Amino acid sequence: MKFLKSDIWAKVLFLLLLVVSIINHVLISYTQKEPYMDEEFHIPQTQEYCNGHFSKWDNKITTLPGLYMIPTVVSILLGSHFQCTTVTLRSINLFITMCMFWVFYYLLGAKRPETTKKWRAFMSYTFTMFPLNYFFTFLYYTDQLSTVLVLIMLYFVYKKSFKLSALAGLYAVFTRQTNIIWVLWTTIIISWDLLQVDLPKWIKLIISKPKSTGKNSQSNVHGRSRQNSSKKMSFVENNILFWSECIVKIAPRVMPYAIIMLSFVGFLIINQGIVVGDRTAHQASLNFPQMFYFSFFVGFMLSPLMILFGLHDTFIKIRKHSILFVSMVILGLIIVNLNTIVHPYLLADNRHYTFYIWKRFYEWYPIVRYFLVPCYVIIWFWIWTSVKFHPVLFLGFLFCLAASIVPQKLLEYRYFIIPYYILRMEMKYMDWKHLIPEAIFHILINIFTIYQFIVNPFVLEGQTVISRFMW
């Protein structure tokens, strides 16, 4: 009875989420009965697996078959009671999103044990309703499973269950190869958590490093030289001993993740790249403006927080670091001028919102690309002032973010979901006055995007198939 009372807010919000999501699921599946966009590859491939045809593979699919294994196992267990139809496969993603609510709930509890259950429930609801994540609840895409597995991996890290965390990370990579970056991020978190305890000892060693003096007399110079040499040797030995102890302490915890990463290197060698199947549309490149697109995306999705609560502190930090700000703007202008890459899909597919953003702003008014650079940098400064990361972890996150999105030639907002969640969970804006505007804004975006998908279909020129707007 005590459990029921203590979790009542979580249960109420979960029930609300479930009811609204089932209604949306029914509406979308009723209006779009046939597989849509990437579903045209994922659903037939899953149906082949459900029918036991594991040797058949659609070469246009570029990810590993982690998503397909879940309905395949369910089909084997339930037999004729489960059919791998479009609706049932989409229902699996709906189920995964409902699970995601509880993963967030317990992850936030493990990460921030001082918080109330009511706060964690509302935060979980807000996170689950994040527009990019929520929209793909109703289509059979890899994003839901990929995201929830990374979140489970992080949850078990905070619970100190590293083998279970690594197991979730392994399946996350089996669902989407680029999740290997977030396995690396998990390794960085674990290593830093142990290192920061012992770093004061190492700093003390550095401070106490012996320094030779120039005031030695001729008579004792050889004696002092031998003494300094002995002290220096002791200093080196102490450093070696310190870092050896750190490695011994860290190694058992990161070993499962290291095995995954080394195995992935083997996969890259054997597969001759990260993409399986057709690689023509997924060729790696150095697309540094992706870091700007990510910042603009975060700034837009969290604009209520940035505008209402964050700009004052941001401009104070910019004044304190004016040289850095100007340098980043100049570097950004150079990157935009020399490294703006436009994927053919971005300009050819008007079913995505990115098509209209690029066509109506970036392409019609090329000067806008340069005017936006100071905005990108301001948002990055806002992110810097907002996160509670230790500077070492923040640099580690930036490295993982760059490794995840910079090689992507295509501007695709779905690539931003996992780093967005990691960043958002580290921000200081966690009070009710922050969460309520954020939740309202995200709900309004969801209403708009789902409404557009259902109510405003259109037909592409030269085709008869109905198309719909989506992220």
Side-chain angles (χ1 to χ4, degrees):
M1 199 68 181
K2 184 178 179 182
F3 171 79
L4 290 174
K5 288 182 179 179
S6 62
D7 287 275
I8 188 66
W9 275 100
K11 290 177 173 61
V12 168
L13 288 171
F14 173 75
L15 184 61
L16 175 63
L17 176 69
L18 178 62
V19 171
V20 172
S21 299
I22 290 174
I23 293 171
N24 287 327
H25 171 70
V26 171
L27 289 173
I28 287 176
S29 292
Y30 177 77
T31 55
Q32 181 62 45
K33 296 180 176 65
E34 300 301 318
Y36 187 67
M37 294 289 288
D38 289 7
E39 286 186 323
E40 294 173 1
F41 311 114
H42 294 312
I43 289 177
Q45 183 61 54
T46 305
Q47 290 170 338
E48 292 288 356
Y49 274 33
C50 289
N51 292 326
H53 304 150
F54 297 104
S55 61
K56 291 187 177 180
W57 182 260
D58 186 344
N59 200 47
K60 292 182 180 179
I61 295 172
T62 58
T63 53
L64 292 169
L67 175 65
Y68 316 140
M69 299 312 297
I70 293 177
T72 302
V73 171
V74 174
S75 178
I76 292 170
L77 294 175
L78 298 182
S80 60
H81 298 289
F82 181 85
Q83 299 295 321
C84 291
T85 64
T86 299
V87 174
T88 54
L89 292 177
R90 288 173 180 171
S91 300
I92 288 177
N93 263 10
L94 174 63
F95 174 77
I96 291 171
T97 298
M98 296 306 102
C99 293
M100 191 182 295
F101 174 90
W102 292 106
V103 172
F104 272 125
Y105 182 75
Y106 290 108
L107 171 57
L108 290 166
K111 185 175 174 56
R112 296 171 180 255
E114 75 282 359
T115 56
T116 64
K117 291 183 178 180
K118 184 192 295 185
W119 177 88
R120 293 200 294 269
F122 192 79
M123 197 70 187
S124 302
Y125 180 82
T126 304
F127 279 4
T128 309
M129 291 291 286
F130 171 59
L132 258 292
N133 173 72
Y134 189 68
F135 182 87
F136 289 100
T137 295
F138 311 108
L139 298 174
Y140 189 61
Y141 274 54
T142 59
D143 300 272
Q144 306 308 109
L145 182 59
S146 169
T147 302
V148 81
L149 286 168
V150 171
L151 294 172
I152 291 170
M153 176 175 65
L154 293 172
Y155 166 74
F156 280 121
V157 166
Y158 291 112
K159 299 298 287 186
K160 309 299 182 186
S161 299
F162 301 107
K163 291 180 181 177
L164 289 175
S165 170
L167 192 62
L170 177 63
Y171 201 77
V173 174
F174 191 55
T175 303
R176 183 177 286 173
Q177 297 93 301
T178 51
N179 285 335
I180 193 66
I181 301 299
W182 307 115
V183 174
L184 172 62
W185 167 245
T186 305
T187 307
I188 293 171
I189 293 174
I190 295 168
S191 302
W192 176 249
D193 186 51
L194 293 172
L195 270 177
Q196 64 179 341
V197 176
D198 294 325
L199 273 181
K201 300 177 187 176
W202 182 67
I203 293 170
K204 191 174 180 181
L205 275 175
I206 296 296
I207 293 173
S208 62
K209 180 179 179 180
K211 297 180 181 179
S212 58
T213 176
K215 296 182 179 180
N216 297 331
S217 63
Q218 187 68 29
S219 59
N220 63 4
V221 67
H222 295 295
R224 288 189 178 275
S225 177
R226 286 193 298 270
Q227 186 179 6
N228 285 338
S229 178
S230 176
K231 286 181 179 179
K232 288 177 182 177
M233 183 61 68
S234 176
F235 172 78
V236 172
E237 289 173 351
N238 286 336
N239 268 275
I240 293 172
L241 181 63
F242 170 80
W243 287 109
S244 299
E245 289 174 352
C246 288
I247 291 170
V248 168
K249 188 185 294 186
I250 293 170
R253 294 192 177 186
V254 302
M255 186 60 68
Y257 308 97
I259 292 171
I260 295 172
M261 289 186 283
L262 288 172
S263 301
F264 191 78
V265 171
F267 162 77
L268 292 177
I269 295 170
I270 295 170
N271 190 57
Q272 297 182 343
I274 193 170
V275 175
V276 296
D278 185 12
R279 305 180 187 187
T280 54
H282 294 273
Q283 295 175 351
S285 63
L286 287 178
N287 191 0
F288 289 105
Q290 289 276 24
M291 297 292 283
F292 298 145
Y293 307 148
F294 175 78
S295 72
F296 201 77
F297 172 80
V298 171
F300 172 74
M301 287 297 175
L302 297 177
S303 53
L305 304 185
M306 185 173 66
I307 294 169
L308 295 175
F309 307 106
L311 287 180
H312 178 71
D313 292 342
T314 301
F315 285 115
I316 290 175
K317 185 173 281 287
I318 288 172
R319 282 199 296 271
K320 287 182 179 179
H321 302 276
S322 56
I323 295 176
L324 176 62
F325 176 80
V326 173
S327 301
M328 288 177 66
V329 170
I330 293 171
L331 179 62
L333 292 170
I334 294 170
I335 289 173
V336 166
N337 184 55
L338 299 178
N339 192 227
T340 297
I341 299 173
V342 184
H343 196 286
Y345 284 5
L346 184 61
L347 301 178
D349 196 341
N350 65 345
R351 293 169 291 183
H352 293 289
Y353 293 118
T354 47
F355 171 89
Y356 298 95
I357 293 171
W358 197 271
K359 277 281 187 182
R360 301 285 169 83
F361 295 99
Y362 287 88
E363 192 168 280
W364 283 9
Y365 309 101
I367 195 69
V368 168
R369 303 180 192 183
Y370 300 97
F371 284 146
L372 285 175
V373 169
C375 298
Y376 299 145
V377 178
I378 289 171
I379 295 171
W380 269 118
F381 266 81
W382 173 70
I383 291 171
W384 183 17
T385 63
S386 303
V387 295
K388 294 184 176 181
F389 278 134
H390 186 281
V392 172
L393 281 182
F394 190 46
L395 289 174
F397 171 78
L398 292 177
F399 173 80
C400 290
L401 173 65
S404 175
I405 65 176
V406 167
Q408 306 286 353
K409 189 175 182 180
L410 178 63
L411 171 57
E412 172 61 82
Y413 290 141
R414 291 185 296 128
Y415 302 153
F416 299 160
I417 293 174
I418 292 174
Y420 169 88
Y421 275 139
I422 292 172
L423 200 61
R424 182 65 187 92
M425 284 190 288
E426 293 294 336
M427 285 186 168
K428 63 185 180 183
Y429 303 111
M430 294 294 187
D431 294 336
W432 290 102
K433 64 180 181 180
H434 305 132
L435 297 183
I436 292 173
E438 179 184 359
I440 293 172
F441 185 56
H442 287 178
I443 289 170
L444 291 175
I445 294 174
N446 285 328
I447 292 171
F448 172 80
T449 53
I450 293 173
Y451 177 85
Q452 289 293 327
F453 186 87
I454 294 172
V455 177
N456 287 328
F458 61 98
V459 178
L460 292 171
E461 187 178 347
Q463 295 187 15
T464 57
V465 178
I466 290 177
S467 296
R468 300 180 187 276
F469 295 109
M470 62 184 293
W471 285 105

